[in-house]
Structure formats: structure tokens, C-alpha cells
């Protein structure tokens, strides 16, 4: 695939993603204003879907880095990883994080009034996950510029962090231990 057709494909994917997000936002706003009593279960469902999407990307991206770190710079394999990483970040991870935060904050305010030790701890864990997201986004840029200096072992360790944070967050939400 040529660079031009690859960029065209990325452009079309970004347009489709943007249209999907806009449609979701419009339908959500309509539901919020037209049938506010029905909004809570929809908000919760959208939040859970976004969390699953965000976590899928957060678990997969560092795994791509493990393999990319061992690929020879400038190789076909390295260039393929660059495309995969960029698309994963832009088309899945970033939008999913935004939707997760928007609906999560609304749910925290509407249902719990931002009260509860478990909720404060959960928000702190989600902030840590968001910080990791930023770190991974920076790594995508470094890999794209062939400036990654971290070995595959580093990325194997980083790959475990989202899993640990996910476990903490799920326990806090389901068990509400304090």
C-alpha cells in the first residue's frame, strides 16, 4: 500500500469515527433533553462501553510497543506498527477515554454527588490511568519519529499497569469497600 493511499485510508477512518462520535453525542443529548428519566441507564451503558473500548486499547497498545521496540527502524514491520499504533490511539483510545470521562463524571455527580471514599479512590485510579494514557500517547509519537529508547522489557512491564488499575477500579465500583 502506498503512503498516499494509506493516508487516504486513515483520513476516511477518522471521518467515519468523527461522524460516529457526533451521532452518539446528538442522540445522547436528545435523550437527555427529551426523556431525562430514561437517560441514566443509557448513560451507564455508554460509560461501560467506553470503558471497555478504552481498556482494550490500553491493554493492546503497550503490547504493540513490545514488538515494535524489537523491530528494525525503517523496516516494513516498524512502519506497519507505526500505523497500527497511531490508528489505535486516535480512533479508539482517545475517543473512548473522552466518553468514559464525560459519562463517568456525570454518573458520579448524578448518582453519588461525588461522595464516598470508594468514589474518590476510583477517580484517583482513573486519573492514574489517564496519566498512563498520556505516557503511551507520547510513546506513539516517539515511535513514529524512530526515537524510542525503551527496550521491549520496559513495555512488557508497562503493559501490566492498565490491568492492575482496572482490577482496582472494578473492585471499587462493585464492592464499594469504603
Amino acid at each position: 500500500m502506498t503512503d498516499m493511499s494509506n493516508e487516504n485510508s486513515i483520513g476516511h477512518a477518522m471521518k467515519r469515527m468523527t461522524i460516529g462520535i457526533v451521532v452518539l453525542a446528538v442522540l445522547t443529548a436528545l435523550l437527555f433533553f427529551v426523556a431525562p428519566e430514561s437517560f441514566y441507564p443509557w448513560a451507564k451503558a455508554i460509560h461501560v462501553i467506553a470503558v471497555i473500548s478504552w481498556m482494550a486499547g490500553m491493554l493492546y497498545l503497550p503490547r504493540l510497543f513490545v514488538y515494535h521496540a524489537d523491530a528494525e527502524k525503517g523496516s516494513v514491520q516498524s512502519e506497519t506498527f507505526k500505523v497500527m499504533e497511531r490508528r489505535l490511539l486516535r480512533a479508539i483510545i482517545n475517543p473512548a477515554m473522552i466518553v468514559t470521562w464525560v459519562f463517568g463524571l456525570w454518573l458520579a455527580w448524578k448518582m453519588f454527588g461525588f461522595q464516598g471514599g470508594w468514589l474518590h479512590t476510583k477517580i484517583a485510579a482513573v486519573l492514574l490511568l489517564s496519566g498512563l494514557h498520556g505516557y503511551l500517547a507520547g510513546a506513539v509519537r516517539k515511535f513514529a519519529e524512530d526515537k524510542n529508547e525503551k527496550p521491549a522489557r520496559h513495555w512488557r512491564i508497562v503493559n501490566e499497569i492498565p490491568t492492575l488499575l482496572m482490577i482496582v477500579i472494578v473492585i471499587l465500583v462493585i464492592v464499594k469497600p469504603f
Side-chain angles (χ1 to χ4, degrees), residues 26-53:
V26 168
L27 291 174
T28 302
L30 242 113
L31 182 62
F32 182 77
F33 291 111
V34 173
E37 67 285 347
S38 301
F39 186 70
Y40 171 75
W42 283 99
K44 196 172 179 180
I46 292 168
H47 177 69
V48 170
I49 292 165
V51 167
I52 292 168
S53 300

Side-chain angles (χ1 to χ4, degrees), residues 49-76:
I49 292 165
V51 167
I52 292 168
S53 300
W54 187 23
M55 286 307 306
M58 293 293 287
L59 294 167
Y60 186 45
L61 188 58
R63 179 52 47 187
L64 287 175
F65 293 161
V66 168
Y67 302 119
H68 194 169
D70 287 337
E72 186 177 324
K73 291 179 180 168
S75 68
V76 173

Side-chain angles (χ1 to χ4, degrees), residues 102-115:
V102 167
F103 283 90
L105 288 173
W106 184 85
L107 290 165
W109 165 72
K110 184 69 174 175
M111 297 311 298
F112 305 104
F114 288 110
Q115 300 296 314

